[in-house]
Structure formats: C-alpha cells, structure tokens
Amino acid sequence: MPHFAKPPAGSWTEQYPELGTAPVDYTDSIDPAFYEDERAAIFKRTWLNVGRVERIPRTGNYFTKELAAAGTSLIIVRGADKKVRAFHNVCRHRGNKLVWNDYPNEEVSGTCRQFTCKYHAWRYSLEGELTFVQQEGEFFDLDKKDFGLKEVACDVWEGFVFVNLDPQETLTEYLGEMATGLEGYPFHEMTEVYTYKAEIGSNWKLFIDAFAEFYHAPVLHQKQATKDEADKLLGYGFEALHYELYSPHSMISSWGGMAPPKDPSMVKPIERALRSGLFGPWDRPAIDGLDPAELPAGINPAKHRAWGTDSFEIFPNFTLLFWAPGWYLTYHYWPTAVDRHIFEANLYFVPPKNARERMAQELAAVTFKEYALQDANTLEATQTMIATRTVTEFPLCDQELLLRHLHKVVADKVEEYRDAAAR
Amino acid sequence: MPLPAEFADLESFQDWALPTEPERYAKRLASSMDEMQALYDAAMPRLEAALDHCDKHDFTDLPEDVRTLMHLLQSVVMVSFPVECWSQPRVPDSGAAYLDLLVEPGF
Ligand code: FES
Ligand SMILES: [Fe+2]
C-alpha cells in the first residue's frame, strides 16, 4: 500500500523514459579503463565544490585541495582584493609543490602574505604573480611576468567555492535551475562546523548510491531506533515525498517524523534528554529564513507537511542535504582509484548560544557518525563482490531513481568523451 | 580540572572528561560495557541538572570546571550508543570502516 502519491506516469522512474527501467550495469564502478575516461570526461572539466568561503574569510587565508581524479593539487586563496582564486600548486621554477608541510600529499591550510617555494625560494603574490627570483641575474632573459602561477577557473555560489580545470560553461549555467531554487538559504549563518573524513575502499559512485536513497535506512540502520519504532519502520519500508532530476543534478525529498517525535517513547532516552537525534536538534534555531514557509522554493518541493529532509546531488561528487529543524550537511566523494575514494562530510549548524543547544548538536554529530560507519563498511563489501563480475547487472527500484540517473549520466559523459576522442 | 562542586558525585568518572572526539571515541572503544553502563547510569539522572548548571554561565566564556562538565556530558553522548543500542563499544556492521572527526567546534 503506497503512503504517498506517485506521479501520473505511474512511477518516478517512468517520468524519465530515457532512463528505462532495466537492470543497471555496474561495470562502471570496477573497470580501470572506465575510471581513466571518467577522470578525463568528468573530473577534469566539471565544476567541483572544494569548500566554503568561511574557511578563507581574510586576505592571505588559503587551503590546498588534492584532486587525484583530476591529477593535480590546487591552492585556493583570498587575495588582497578579497577575490577568491585557485592555482595549480606547482612552482614555475622546477615544479616543486609550492604549498605543503611535512607530507606532500596532505592538504594544508593557513594564512600568509605570499607563497615561498621551499626549494629555491621563488615567491608569488596572493594573486599568483611571480614577485621574487633567487639570484635573478643568473637566469637568461627571464621576465617574471611570464612565470606567474597557473590559474584555474574559480567561482563562488552562495558561499560555496567551485573550481574547474576546463570549464565548458559558467558556474551559474552549470548549476542551473536546481541551485537557483536553493538561493537565499541562510548558509552564511551556519558556521558551527564538524568535519569528517575517511578513505573508503569503494568506487566513488557507490557511496553516492548509498546516500542518494533512503530506502536502505529501515533495514541497515534498524538497530538505531527503539525496537517498536524499528519494527514499524521496517513494516512501512521507505517512500520519498518527491524526486526531481535536473540532469546532470538531481534531488530527493523525504518525510521526517522524528524531529520532534509524536510519541517520545519512540526515541532513545538520550534523544529525549537532549531533544535531538539523527534529524538534528528538535528546536529550530532562532534565525530568519528557516521557517518552513520562508524556505527557498527548491526545498520541500512537494510542500508536504510531513517534510523532514532534502538531499541535492550536485554532479558529480557534491551533496547538499537540508534537515527541517534548521541545519545542513555536505558530502564530497573524491575518487583516488577505481575502487577507492576519500569521503568527506561537513555538518553545519547555527552557532549554539548555550550548553543545551551545543549538546543537542553534539548528539546529532555523534549520531551521524554511527550511521555513516555502517554505510561506509557496506560499500567495501559491495565493491569486493561487484568486482568478481559474477553479477554485472542489478535491478533498481523506483526509490533508487537517483542511482539509475547517476550511472546513466556518467555513462553518457564517458561515451561522449570516447566518441570525441575517436573522431 | 575538577568538576563543579555540585557534581562531586560524578568525580569518579572524571577520566571521561576528554576535550576531543578522537579521545572520547578511543576511550569508548577501549572500555568495557560495564564501564560505560556505570557512567551512563550515574550521569543520565544528572543530565538535566548539569545542563541547567552549564547554562548559568555565558557560553562564550565558560569557567574551566564547567567546561570539564561539558566534556563529561560529551562522553555520555558518546557512550549512549553502545549502552542504548549496540550492547558493544563498536558500531555493529562497521568492520574496518573509520570516520575521523578532523574539525570540531570548541567552547
Ligand atoms: S622549484 Fe620552486 S624555487 Fe625552484
Ligand atoms: Fe545509510
């Protein structure tokens, strides 16, 4: 018995006939040749989010970003003119990595007036110009103007910093209608941040698959709820309120009856005591813009009373997830090999005004980690088994629409790239 | 740093008042269920009073003993999952997976 209405086409998936309903081939997550083409076709020419402007609020603030899938390392820095720029992290003299601490592969952040290379002390301004060459007189007709840092396209949307090694369109064009629908959310007020990171032994798309459907939640995570609640959830299964594809991007909207729960005995004692849980603190922070009626039009698109959370998949590897009680989180999936990726999650809250609010956020953060560990481990099991190629095609249900879409978009982009390369 | 005098009854759990998540998580993994149950049983009935106590102070400028109490409360949250759900320190079905908390807010 369905609990929520489906579109007139009969299913969410059949609204998009180009996706079909056949089983999906997961060779794209195990084939090294496919991974190489994916890097070229997607990661070297797509806008990628590398973080938020609050990480670099002042002149000279910088951080580095390792982009293994795009085959480079970048420096993101705020210049004296306040503009945020991105540069390849490579010195123009003899190619040393310009910004790093003890371990060249670890990301770093900090504040400086200029960048100085450790090798022979060439210096660069925050805007990327070469400003000093050691023993300049020893060089041959060296014009410093010709040896500035290699700049990479960089733009900011709602405080999110994006880079692109080879832009095919502007950031605004790329993000399109889905992002417009999120503008005005008070991102800039949510500066209380928890940052998590892990290396996962699976293809990057498999983790997106795990977080772009909530259909697994009553099963994989059933022990996290009280017994009665878990049994009830398993009986219901999961249905979303709404799905929308804005190819290459997509979103899923879901109910969320647990914040606050109708019946307090449905939640664990710690949740009752701290008025918080997986869905976040039950009491919405007192800032403008979070009231359901004031939220940007793109959030809770079905305008459902039972709305609890929306997850937006910004292609290829950036997820923005909003919770009804007034906080959001981001996921990033950075491929490092066909069967490995770095997973990053950031939880963003309005800074707490007192201990009660702080502890409510603490419980949300701890709860997030308990769930994410179960998700992460499942992926490694999945990767090892699809890699056997015993089974290559998998049936996806209507609640797995976003997965079907992700694998199709990736396949199309890789095919397009292969065709162009063959011509 | 000792706990506020009003919470002297929790003094024996002071080694749980750890300032960072990696420390609290490591202590959880290294503890027995009995140890975590003892902390939980002692602290849960005191949670409401502890929050009230903390909230008598300006949150941007907590005295050291209140901060210690807050760190103890963070450990109560940390052990709540083993005690209320898992009956074991580790998350079931999490195998070798890990998730490092690299940046956490201070207070
Ligand atoms: S490689 Fe940077 S100064 Fe020589
Ligand atoms: Fe999950």
Side-chain angles (χ1 to χ4, degrees):
Chain A
M1 222 316 258
H3 302 282
F4 302 120
K6 291 216 181 189
S11 72
W12 296 105
T13 310
E14 284 159 310
Q15 286 190 106
Y16 305 100
E18 67 278 14
L19 295 180
T21 54
V24 171
D25 186 338
Y26 267 60
T27 308
D28 66 357
S29 299
I30 54 170
D31 176 14
F34 188 90
Y35 174 66
E36 282 310 311
D37 289 344
E38 201 175 56
R39 296 174 57 190
I42 297 170
F43 287 91
K44 289 185 184 173
R45 51 191 295 185
T46 304
W47 287 98
L48 304 171
N49 175 255
V50 290
R52 280 198 58 82
V53 288
E54 286 85 11
R55 278 193 79 185
I56 43 173
R58 281 176 290 280
T59 294
N61 292 166
Y62 68 85
F63 62 90
T64 64
K65 185 78 214 160
E66 295 302 307
L67 291 181
T72 192
S73 164
L74 300 181
I75 307 167
I76 321 296
V77 59
R78 191 178 290 270
D81 56 0
K82 296 286 176 254
K83 196 169 142 47
V84 176
R85 292 182 180 80
F87 302 102
H88 285 281
N89 191 3
V90 56
C91 178
R92 293 296 304 272
H93 173 221
R94 260 171 50 209
N96 186 25
K97 190 170 204 169
L98 183 59
V99 179
W100 55 285
N101 292 338
D102 285 352
Y103 304 96
N105 289 320
E106 280 181 17
E107 292 176 352
V108 294
S109 61
T111 304
C112 65
R113 286 171 200 251
Q114 61 194 352
F115 299 111
T116 306
C117 182
K118 293 182 208 280
Y119 209 169
H120 317 90
W122 280 32
R123 288 185 219 149
Y124 303 86
S125 73
L126 301 174
E127 294 76 36
E129 299 133 344
L130 176 60
T131 54
F132 172 82
V133 171
Q134 173 77 7
Q135 290 172 264
E136 194 173 348
E138 295 283 336
F139 284 86
F140 308 94
D141 306 319
L142 182 85
D143 186 344
K144 291 209 283 297
K145 277 200 291 301
D146 298 334
F147 294 91
L149 296 178
K150 287 274 188 194
E151 193 162 352
V152 166
C154 179
D155 203 351
V156 176
W157 169 77
E158 294 288 289
F160 293 98
V161 180
F162 286 78
V163 298
N164 192 331
L165 299 190
D166 181 14
Q168 311 294 305
E169 68 257 89
T170 66
L171 176 62
T172 312
E173 286 162 357
Y174 178 70
L175 293 176
E177 193 193 334
M178 187 171 92
T180 312
L182 303 178
E183 288 171 7
Y185 188 82
F187 295 109
H188 61 287
E189 304 235 38
M190 300 187 178
T191 52
E192 184 89 345
V193 187
Y194 296 72
T195 300
Y196 297 86
K197 194 172 186 172
E199 199 181 346
I200 308 282
S202 90
N203 184 271
W204 61 285
K205 296 186 292 299
L206 296 187
F207 211 156
I208 303 185
D209 285 355
F211 278 162
E213 54 90 356
F214 302 141
Y215 166 62
H216 74 269
V219 185
L220 178 65
H221 306 306
Q222 59 176 296
K223 289 195 207 111
Q224 307 232 6
T226 60
K227 174 86 174 71
D228 288 351
E229 183 62 11
D231 289 347
K232 193 175 91 194
L233 291 173
L234 201 57
Y236 275 140
F238 174 83
E239 291 169 38
L241 293 177
H242 191 81
Y243 291 98
E244 191 85 42
L245 304 186
Y246 301 84
S247 235
H249 319 299
S250 62
M251 71 87 61
I252 167 176
S253 183
S254 175
W255 53 271
M258 303 291 283
K262 281 198 198 71
D263 171 5
S265 71
M266 280 168 22
V267 301
K268 295 171 286 174
I270 193 78
E271 298 183 27
R272 280 201 294 278
L274 293 175
R275 299 185 56 77
S276 179
L278 177 66
F279 289 57
W282 300 347
D283 303 299
R284 201 176 288 135
I287 60 160
D288 288 341
L290 292 178
D291 201 70
E294 300 169 51
L295 287 171
I299 297 182
N300 183 14
K303 302 298 160 209
H304 204 289
R305 274 176 39 248
W307 175 70
T309 181
D310 277 358
S311 189
F312 293 84
E313 301 300 327
I314 297 172
F315 188 82
N317 68 336
F318 174 39
T319 303
L320 250 176
L321 195 147
F322 300 88
W323 294 96
W327 62 293
Y328 77 97
L329 56 78
T330 62
Y331 302 137
H332 292 87
Y333 315 84
W334 299 106
T336 51
V338 65
D339 57 358
R340 294 204 82 73
H341 71 278
I342 305 273
F343 170 68
E344 275 172 19
N346 285 282
L347 281 56
Y348 293 92
F349 298 96
V350 174
K353 292 188 303 300
N354 53 46
R356 235 169 246 280
E357 290 182 5
R358 177 62 174 77
M359 290 309 297
Q361 294 176 359
E362 180 78 16
L363 178 56
V366 166
T367 306
F368 161 77
K369 177 166 164 168
E370 311 276 320
Y371 274 83
L373 281 169
Q374 293 186 323
D375 291 311
N377 193 47
T378 306
L379 299 175
E380 308 206 354
T382 305
Q383 184 75 34
T384 56
M385 288 321 290
I386 57 175
T388 64
R389 297 183 190 247
T390 326
V391 180
T392 52
E393 300 212 310
F394 298 92
L396 297 182
C397 80
D398 205 26
Q399 303 297 334
E400 293 166 319
L401 165 65
L402 265 47
L403 287 57
R404 188 181 288 281
H405 173 249
L406 172 66
H407 290 266
K408 171 87 160 73
V409 172
V410 170
D412 288 353
K413 291 203 182 283
V414 167
E415 190 183 305
E416 204 180 297
Y417 168 83
R418 284 176 171 172
D419 287 352
R423 236 176 275 134
Chain B
M1 185 69 198
L3 293 163
E6 296 87 328
F7 295 91
D9 55 312
L10 299 177
E11 206 61 52
S12 60
F13 299 101
Q14 233 208 80
D15 55 339
W16 282 96
L18 298 164
T20 70
E21 192 267 2
E23 292 169 280
R24 293 187 293 273
Y25 195 71
K27 184 156 172 68
R28 158 174 157 178
L29 293 185
S31 297
S32 69
M33 281 311 298
D34 285 347
E35 287 164 330
M36 288 189 278
Q37 188 75 49
L39 167 66
Y40 183 88
D41 290 344
M44 279 299 273
R46 302 287 277 134
L47 193 62
E48 205 42 44
L51 290 171
D52 282 343
H53 182 87
C54 295
D55 280 338
K56 286 200 200 100
H57 301 273
D58 174 2
F59 189 64
T60 59
D61 188 23
L62 293 179
E64 271 304 308
D65 61 341
V66 176
R67 201 182 298 261
T68 305
L69 181 59
M70 284 289 288
H71 291 318
L72 183 63
L73 297 183
Q74 287 179 291
S75 276
V76 175
V77 174
M78 179 58 79
V79 304
S80 70
F81 275 88
V83 170
E84 294 181 353
C85 306
W86 309 138
S87 308
Q88 62 178 48
R90 286 190 63 84
V91 181
D93 308 314
S94 70
Y98 68 92
L99 192 59
D100 290 337
L101 181 52
L102 300 186
V103 178
E104 67 181 308
F107 47 77

